[in-house]
Amino acid sequence: MNGPFVKGPIEQDNTDSIVLSVQGVTKRIKNRNIVDKLSFEIHKGEIVGLLGPNGAGKTTTIRMIVGLIGMTEGDVIVKGKSVRKDFAGAIAHVGGIIENPEFYPYMTGYDNLKQYQRMTEGITEERIRTVTKLVGLEDAMRKKVKAYSLGMRQRLGIAQALLHEPSILILDEPTNGLDPAGIREMRDYLKRIASEEGISVLVSSHLLSEMELMCSRVVVIQEGKLVTMRTLGASGISDASTGAEPERVHVTLRVDDAAAAKSRLARMEEIRILNVSEESNEITVSVRDAYIPRMVGALGSEGIGLYRIEEIKESLEDEFLKWTGGNRIA
Amino acid sequence: MLSFGKLVTNEWLKMYKKRSFFIPYAAIAVVIGLVAYMMKSFSLSDGMPSGLEFTAGMFSKNGMGQLLTFLAIIGTAGSVAKEHSLGTIKLLLIRAQSRGKILAAKYVSVLAYILSLSLFALAVSLLAGGLLFGFQAREAGWEDVTLTVLAQLAYSLIYVTVTFMIGVFTRSTGATIGVGMILVLLESLVVGLLSRYDIIKYVLFTNVDLSVYLEGGIPPVQGMTPAFSLIVLAVYMILFLGASFVTFKKRDVA
Ligand SMILES: Nc1ncnc2c1ncn2[C@@H]1O[C@H](COP(=O)(O)OP(=O)(O)O)[C@@H](O)[C@H]1O
Ligand SMILES: [Mg+2]
């Protein structure tokens, strides 16, 4: 889930690769800012999660990006084109699924895709075949959409979004209502699309677990405001804003003599001791990955028995609950 | 231009692919056939109309004119409203096409629909009338038929345009059909109630039935001319379409 999707800070500084730029977007309804001066950027090939509890303003944000609702302030730039000033130019690079994709139920899957083909110049029959194959709907194309399961409709939703070869896919809670197998399938499609077609993905969700499994970065919002942006990497979370020491990990050691271990480890410059629990003989330290063997060696040569080493991952969930005040998440 | 034609194709297919698409045409054929059959069976032999008179009669407001308009209203009401109720509006509007063009394509396809209803009714009327009564022109000639059909088309066009606008406003197919039909039914009542006042001349309802200017008709207000009515109708059309487009373009689609 990480590998090719982890974007280092270097690539993020490259402004040429910006596909979507949300610039100080505000939506005010009846004097209330449902979305409040929200700004973030998405780069080529990134899968970015828009994360927030219910009512945070995710849907409103996404609807503004795709032009379904107007912005009170700010602008959205897609591949250099302004959604406000050049809607057709900007939206041509966007493929969207807004909540559950809805189709004309009395038409076949193929007829529905033909509708969208006719709305954009230059989509070939070949392209229709390619996308239906990509989402595995070849056999269902001649069936009426009303006979489709929700999972099939979601896949047809991806197909219509990909039809015009967009640079970015935007999906609002695409796994809502899907069963676990369907959720997994959707996740796999998105990852495959991002890597195979090289397109960026913005996906909203109120479920952290889901974001952790597919996103390289999350933009967390609450009450319409940006809370934080985080890069999700191999060793849990690193702070995208500082990029600080991503290779440092927290581990808890269970030893036979916590006090002796503490005094030995305290002499090693590289190690920061975070917590010592004498009763349970546990000691928690912050250490660079590469330094762990030497730490273990040092304890061994001192004659301190080592029973367990466990990595402490502060999950995104823990952080998310901190950011959003705990009880608000479903 | 090419892409606008494709948008109209899309809108036409959305109507055509419905299983209920042929029902209005079937209803028209049945009604015309029944009327023709009854006239043939029950009228005295010298009271027989010619095929052309029959056709002109069918297209008068008291003949099939209102039925055709009702069918057109039913067909039009869903054009915008159904996109909202199905939720398809979201995928429709996130294409590289302006909202104005999308709505224009919808309006054009609705016009094509009412034209197809009227032409179908014309063909069936001529066929049934011609077969049963023959084509020797007596009271009515081809010109009368043409003018009657045009007046009926204008009548449908006005109500369909109002209905189209209501569909944009309400986003509900049922409400739109209801309001559209009630307007048609209120027409005579309103004209009757307001006939004492001078503004009646400028009311839509007074001008919508152009067949009053055809032979034998009496305009609702003395001194009203076809040109006057056409201008009043044109002003209303511009207002209705303007309101529809402004609303549709500005709307937040939730
Ligand atoms: N048209 C509207 N009028 C008034 N309030 C709205 C409107 N649309 C959304 N809201 C409010 O804005 C907030 C954000 O909604 P939404 O964007 O749907 O959140 P999310 O998708 O993150 O759950 C909610 O409190 C919602 O009630
Ligand atoms: Mg939402």
Side-chain angles (χ1 to χ4, degrees):
Chain A
M1 69 209 66
N2 305 304
F5 304 114
V6 179
K7 299 291 164 201
I10 296 157
E11 194 166 336
Q12 289 191 1
D13 288 340
N14 181 358
T15 49
D16 290 345
S17 77
I18 292 177
V19 176
L20 175 83
S21 166
V22 175
Q23 302 178 343
V25 165
T26 298
K27 180 69 181 180
R28 190 155 42 241
I29 298 181
K30 298 191 191 97
N31 277 329
R32 184 179 145 220
N33 286 359
I34 290 171
V35 174
D36 198 357
K37 297 198 182 65
L38 188 60
S39 301
F40 61 90
E41 280 162 359
I42 295 180
H43 300 257
K44 193 166 184 299
E46 255 190 323
I47 302 186
V48 174
L50 182 62
L51 183 57
N54 283 323
K58 304 179 295 290
T59 298
T60 307
T61 303
I62 283 181
R63 282 176 198 263
M64 282 193 283
I65 294 174
V66 299
L68 284 176
I69 65 179
M71 301 167 225
T72 314
E73 280 163 30
D75 200 354
V76 172
I77 310 293
V78 189
K79 292 238 139 195
K81 302 255 167 64
S82 156
V83 167
R84 279 194 129 156
K85 297 188 198 88
D86 179 12
F87 174 71
I91 204 74
H93 299 291
V94 176
I97 304 181
I98 312 302
E99 288 170 334
N100 290 339
E102 307 290 356
F103 295 94
Y104 304 99
Y106 51 89
M107 291 192 204
T108 63
Y110 178 76
D111 286 338
N112 271 284
L113 289 184
K114 287 291 282 184
Q115 285 276 325
Y116 303 117
Q117 179 202 31
R118 288 188 206 95
M119 295 190 78
T120 309
E121 293 295 340
I123 300 176
T124 59
E125 281 296 315
E126 182 57 37
R127 180 65 187 166
I128 295 184
R129 271 194 299 276
T130 308
V131 294
T132 46
K133 200 153 158 249
L134 184 74
V135 299
L137 275 181
E138 300 107 306
D139 296 335
M141 273 294 106
R142 302 282 157 195
K143 281 202 197 113
K144 296 215 162 133
V145 167
K146 65 174 163 232
Y148 279 27
S149 66
L150 178 60
M152 287 162 82
R153 286 216 303 278
Q154 288 286 13
R155 283 190 269 163
L156 191 60
I158 296 183
Q160 65 77 28
L162 290 174
L163 211 50
H164 50 288
E165 304 187 41
S167 307
I168 181 164
L169 268 190
I170 298 182
L171 308 99
D172 189 16
E173 311 245 9
T175 55
N176 251 5
L178 291 179
D179 56 17
I183 292 175
R184 195 201 168 97
E185 191 180 68
M186 168 69 72
R187 201 164 60 220
D188 291 344
Y189 278 130
L190 292 182
K191 285 201 254 177
R192 213 169 89 212
I193 290 157
S195 65
E196 281 178 18
E197 307 238 330
I199 63 185
S200 317
V201 179
L202 173 64
V203 52
S204 83
S205 178
H206 64 280
L207 295 172
L208 311 145
S209 45
E210 217 170 275
M211 303 270 93
E212 280 178 303
L213 289 172
M214 67 180 154
C215 297
S216 50
R217 201 152 60 85
V218 286
V219 174
V220 183
I221 64 169
Q222 192 189 15
E223 288 172 1
K225 291 191 183 72
L226 180 73
V227 177
T228 183
M229 283 192 243
R230 289 297 166 114
T231 301
L232 308 183
S235 52
I237 308 143
S238 69
D239 193 319
S241 48
T242 64
E245 307 177 288
E247 70 276 34
R248 205 173 249 285
V249 294
H250 296 182
V251 293
T252 295
L253 311 171
R254 180 118 143 257
V255 293
D256 55 4
D257 186 350
K262 182 190 171 196
S263 58
R264 176 66 191 91
L265 295 179
R267 297 210 302 275
M268 302 175 78
E269 251 176 48
E270 285 280 343
I271 294 177
R272 282 207 303 268
I273 295 173
L274 301 174
N275 188 34
V276 181
S277 163
E278 305 246 355
E279 316 84 79
S280 58
N281 274 329
E282 281 180 347
I283 177 164
T284 304
V285 298
S286 166
V287 60
R288 278 191 321 159
D289 237 7
Y291 207 76
I292 289 177
R294 260 197 277 172
M295 176 178 79
V296 174
L299 292 174
S301 63
E302 201 79 352
I304 299 169
L306 180 59
Y307 293 89
R308 300 260 197 298
I309 302 187
E310 278 175 296
E311 182 176 359
I312 307 296
K313 268 195 192 168
E314 185 176 40
S315 74
L316 184 58
E317 181 142 21
D318 297 331
E319 289 219 13
F320 184 81
L321 291 176
K322 257 193 302 187
W323 300 327
T324 58
N327 54 359
R328 309 188 62 107
I329 187 80
Chain B
M1 224 35 235
L2 175 73
S3 76
F4 186 71
K6 287 186 185 169
L7 293 184
V8 177
T9 307
N10 270 353
E11 295 305 326
W12 181 261
L13 287 173
K14 285 176 201 171
M15 297 193 274
Y16 176 76
K17 293 264 179 183
K18 279 192 194 133
R19 209 179 290 161
S20 58
F21 179 78
F22 294 102
I23 292 175
Y25 298 93
I28 289 170
V30 167
V31 168
I32 293 174
L34 269 179
V35 172
Y37 175 77
M38 288 190 337
M39 286 174 83
K40 179 83 180 171
S41 308
F42 301 119
S43 40
L44 301 163
S45 60
D46 61 325
M48 280 293 206
S50 76
L52 292 179
E53 274 165 40
F54 173 76
T55 304
M58 286 310 289
F59 271 84
S60 72
K61 200 177 100 185
N62 300 323
M64 288 253 302
Q66 280 197 343
L67 175 66
L68 283 172
T69 304
F70 283 149
L71 293 175
I73 285 172
I74 294 170
T76 303
S79 181
V80 172
K82 265 268 173 325
E83 302 274 8
H84 283 281
S85 60
L86 287 174
T88 47
I89 188 87
K90 293 176 288 182
L91 293 186
L92 179 69
L93 294 184
I94 58 168
R95 310 284 141 187
Q97 302 285 348
S98 72
R99 288 192 185 187
K101 237 166 135 184
I102 289 172
L103 193 65
K106 283 191 171 296
Y107 187 64
V108 168
S109 78
V110 158
L111 296 187
Y113 181 64
I114 63 172
L115 191 64
S116 79
L117 284 179
S118 292
L119 290 182
F120 179 76
L122 177 63
V124 175
S125 297
L126 286 174
L127 193 72
L131 282 179
L132 293 175
F133 311 114
F135 273 118
Q136 62 285 54
R138 282 192 293 189
E139 311 261 299
W142 283 102
E143 202 190 311
D144 301 291
V145 170
T146 311
L147 288 174
T148 314
V149 170
L150 284 178
Q152 184 277 321
L153 267 176
Y155 187 81
S156 285
L157 171 73
I158 303 299
Y159 280 110
V160 153
T161 306
V162 178
T163 304
F164 191 73
M165 175 182 73
I166 298 166
V168 172
F169 288 173
T170 66
R171 285 167 280 179
S172 149
T173 312
T176 306
I177 292 177
V179 175
M181 288 195 174
I182 285 170
L183 286 178
V184 175
L185 296 173
L186 279 181
E187 183 190 310
S188 332
L189 185 66
V190 170
V191 173
L193 283 177
L194 293 182
S195 59
R196 296 186 289 128
Y197 306 99
D198 212 30
I199 47 145
I200 186 70
K201 281 201 328 193
Y202 304 100
V203 171
L204 178 74
F205 292 134
T206 320
N207 295 280
V208 72
D209 181 11
L210 292 171
S211 70
V212 296
Y213 299 112
L214 301 181
E215 244 187 58
I218 312 149
V221 178
Q222 249 194 347
M224 274 172 64
T225 63
F228 172 82
S229 284
L230 284 173
I231 290 169
V232 171
L233 291 178
V235 171
Y236 275 107
M237 291 280 284
I238 290 167
L239 283 177
F240 295 152
L241 288 174
S244 307
F245 276 80
V246 168
T247 308
F248 191 73
K249 285 172 87 149
K250 290 246 152 84
R251 154 152 317 135
D252 276 357
V253 176

